[in-house]
Amino acid sequence: MDIQKLSVEIQSGEVTIPAYLAHPTGAQGLPLIVVIQEVFGVNAHIRDVTDRLASEGYVAIAPHIYHRQAPGFEVGYGSADLALGREYKNGTQASELLQDIKGAIIYGHHHFGCPIAKVGCIGFCFGGHVAYLAATLPEIAATASFYGAGISTFTPGEGSPTLNQTPQIQGAIYAFFGLQDPLISSDEIGQIEAALRQSGVEHRIYRYPQASHGFFCDHRDSYDAAATEDAWQQVKNLFRDTLRSR
């Protein structure tokens, strides 16, 4: 399958932000998947995930969610990079993040005829938290959230935890965690699972006993090939069953 890859600009409220876009050649009417970055920006790993989704037959788009603070932000995985990425994470606002995701959805709808009712979202690290938040949007039919820390303790720029918004989730959500993750305890995973169950949300929680934070990223020392292979298959199943069947 021939994949087109390019940088585009999307409208997020009154702000224009860049995004990385990948899609099959001649894509029209395909489901859309919004890809949410780690704290390290829309870097090679996030672009690769976006490309892989496009190769599965989706229009995939990764908005630069740090653009208001640091246009074009993209760093490596060193300690200084992590500190800077966390600084910008702390400067985000939930309302702006959701507006960026809505802007990506509108872009896909206007330029490729992507059905509004067939939108997915996937996010990693801080993006995993943002993806859980994005799942509360009525447009989002399927969400894959990877090791999103802080879901049970805060909402970006606000006080009430994102977990409290679980009853607003209308689509399906799969969440992926490594049990060796120092940033997310087993208790927090249990709280997320309990909230989803109590709210009647269609969900699956995947726990990988030997995996740590960032296990899906092959650019990081914590990469776990076995966990990644299984998780990717589950992601493909989720998007196939929800975005292509309904």
Side-chain angles (χ1 to χ4, degrees):
M1 181 182 296
D2 189 19
I3 302 299
Q4 300 295 308
K5 311 172 186 180
L6 62 160
S7 295
V8 298
E9 291 187 338
I10 64 175
Q11 197 67 30
S12 176
E14 297 181 354
V15 179
T16 300
I17 67 172
Y20 178 75
L21 174 72
H23 62 85
T25 300
Q28 279 295 323
L30 296 177
L32 171 74
I33 298 176
V34 182
V35 183
I36 310 298
Q37 66 185 59
E38 301 173 298
V39 296
F40 307 102
V42 180
N43 59 10
H45 169 55
I46 297 302
R47 293 192 295 270
D48 177 67
V49 172
T50 307
D51 295 345
R52 290 170 68 183
L53 289 167
S55 71
E56 295 292 331
Y58 301 98
V59 174
I61 187 167
H64 286 254
I65 61 173
Y66 284 177
H67 185 69
R68 293 172 182 81
Q69 304 175 73
F73 181 74
E74 176 184 344
V75 293
Y77 295 94
S79 57
D81 300 321
L82 176 60
L84 187 57
R86 285 176 170 171
E87 176 183 336
Y88 292 135
K89 177 199 77 172
N90 293 336
T92 60
Q93 302 286 328
S95 59
E96 293 176 343
L97 294 167
L98 291 174
Q99 192 66 58
D100 294 347
I101 294 164
K102 290 178 182 178
I105 293 171
I106 292 170
Y107 182 93
H109 182 62
H110 284 174
H111 289 264
F112 298 97
C114 297
I116 293 294
K118 294 185 179 293
V119 177
C121 184
I122 185 172
F124 305 86
C125 183
F126 176 54
H129 185 146
V130 177
Y132 195 100
L133 179 66
T136 65
L137 293 172
E139 299 92 338
I140 303 294
T143 300
S145 171
F146 279 79
Y147 34 83
I151 291 171
S152 67
T153 58
F154 78 98
T155 298
E158 300 178 12
S160 177
T162 294
L163 190 65
N164 292 353
Q165 301 185 45
T166 301
Q168 299 179 36
I169 299 175
Q170 300 177 30
I173 183 167
Y174 286 10
F176 303 85
F177 301 99
L179 295 186
Q180 303 304 314
D181 192 331
L183 303 180
I184 307 170
S185 69
S186 294
D187 286 346
E188 182 174 2
I189 299 171
Q191 291 170 17
I192 293 169
E193 188 170 34
L196 290 166
R197 185 184 302 115
Q198 183 177 3
S199 299
V201 176
E202 181 183 346
H203 71 280
R204 293 184 185 178
I205 303 293
Y206 293 90
R207 297 172 170 88
Y208 298 100
Q210 304 305 316
S212 185
H213 195 78
F215 71 79
F216 194 85
C217 178
D218 59 1
H219 296 254
R220 303 177 71 167
D221 293 339
S222 56
Y223 174 65
D224 186 307
T228 294
E229 181 179 1
D230 182 78
W232 182 244
Q233 185 59 55
Q234 304 309 328
V235 167
K236 291 193 295 183
N237 292 346
L238 167 67
F239 291 144
R240 179 198 65 211
D241 294 344
T242 55
L243 304 184
R244 296 193 182 279
S245 301
R246 296 181 177 179

